[in-house]
Amino acid sequence: MLLTRPSGRAILAFAPYGLVSLVHLSALILGASEVGVVTKIMLMPALALALLILLPARRSVVGYLLLSALVLSWGGDFALVIPGELMFLLGLIFFLAAHVVYIVAISSSLRVRRIPFVALAYAGWWIALVALLAPNVGWLVWPLAIYGLVLGGMASVALGSHPAVACGAFLFVVSDTVLALNRFMPSIELPVPDIVIMATYILAQGFIVAGALIVLKRGVPSAWGSPRKERVLNS
């Protein structure tokens, strides 16, 4: 298993992502904003490198989907380092598209069980967050509500995949919730929000990719269809 007994190849593949992540978080702690911007832009390329190294069937549909989600996330990261409402909306669109791609990837190739009823908790999260933000964001409530609905859908679908994928999706929800509260609810004082947002985001993306690779390695039969044929992460 990648998360408990990773092979040497897996460790080497994820090493650049881990290194860039540590430098980025250190830059946030030390207030080195320029280093923080550069390393943030490097995160998704480093994770995509790990995916390409550990996914031999690169021309498979799920491989293209996972890579596309990382590319779209990179676009979102790039947009969000530029100040302004327009760039925030552009980043929102990029990440919304990434979540849609993750939904397709998980639903088509990464499911190992039926989605449990606990997924309804994400509906409650969405309703509560929209209700909390609505009085403070004006017309932005609509794009934020749509984004939250898609994010919650991705997290719900992820509960039918490997626990690492489900954990990553949950951390994505945590990261974006803290981001929304920090940006639109200044009356709520959160401890070190930037570090929390990025730490949970980094772990979210890493867990989703690692969990996807575990499923593809095992070739676990889907609860909804035929066994998967892709095998990766040879140990």
Side-chain angles (χ1 to χ4, degrees):
M1 230 176 115
L2 179 64
L3 296 181
T4 56
R5 290 181 298 172
S7 66
R9 185 178 177 216
I11 292 173
L12 289 175
F14 274 93
Y17 184 61
L19 179 60
V20 173
S21 299
L22 287 174
V23 174
H24 177 70
L25 293 175
S26 298
L28 292 181
I29 294 171
L30 297 174
S33 57
E34 293 183 359
V35 176
V37 169
V38 172
T39 50
K40 184 175 183 179
I41 300 304
M42 293 172 61
L43 284 169
M44 290 306 101
L47 186 56
L49 176 63
L51 174 65
L52 290 174
I53 291 173
L54 299 172
L55 184 65
R58 297 188 184 96
R59 295 185 181 181
S60 65
V61 173
V62 66
Y64 283 125
L65 288 172
L66 292 171
L67 185 59
S68 296
L70 295 181
V71 171
L72 288 166
S73 297
W74 176 84
D77 287 341
F78 195 94
L80 291 179
V81 300
I82 303 174
E85 189 173 275
L86 180 60
M87 297 309 295
F88 175 78
L89 287 173
L90 182 59
L92 204 68
I93 292 170
F94 272 117
F95 277 113
L96 185 148
H99 295 318
V100 170
V101 174
Y102 273 138
I103 289 173
V104 175
I106 295 168
S107 300
S108 64
S109 303
L110 302 175
R111 288 177 297 185
V112 299
R113 63 179 67 85
R114 294 183 182 275
I115 299 172
F117 285 110
V118 72
L120 292 175
Y122 285 117
W125 159 81
W126 178 75
I127 293 170
L129 187 63
V130 171
L132 185 63
L133 294 177
N136 301 281
V137 298
W139 68 272
L140 278 175
V141 67
W142 299 109
L144 289 173
I146 293 171
Y147 176 80
L149 190 63
V150 175
L151 173 59
M154 188 274 287
S156 298
V157 171
L159 288 171
S161 186
H162 188 275
V165 177
C167 180
F170 170 76
L171 289 171
F172 227 129
V173 171
V174 173
S175 179
D176 283 353
T177 300
V178 176
L179 174 62
L181 294 177
N182 185 58
R183 185 180 181 95
F184 299 112
M185 301 287 295
S187 60
I188 300 178
E189 295 186 7
L190 301 171
V192 291
D194 291 341
I195 297 172
V196 173
I197 291 166
M198 288 309 302
T200 50
Y201 171 69
I202 288 167
L203 288 172
Q205 294 280 26
F207 274 123
I208 290 173
V209 171
L213 291 169
I214 292 171
V215 173
L216 296 174
K217 176 187 177 181
R218 291 178 175 177
V220 178
S222 170
W224 301 81
S226 59
R228 301 176 183 85
K229 296 181 180 179
E230 295 93 343
R231 293 185 64 82
V232 297
L233 291 175
N234 294 326
S235 55

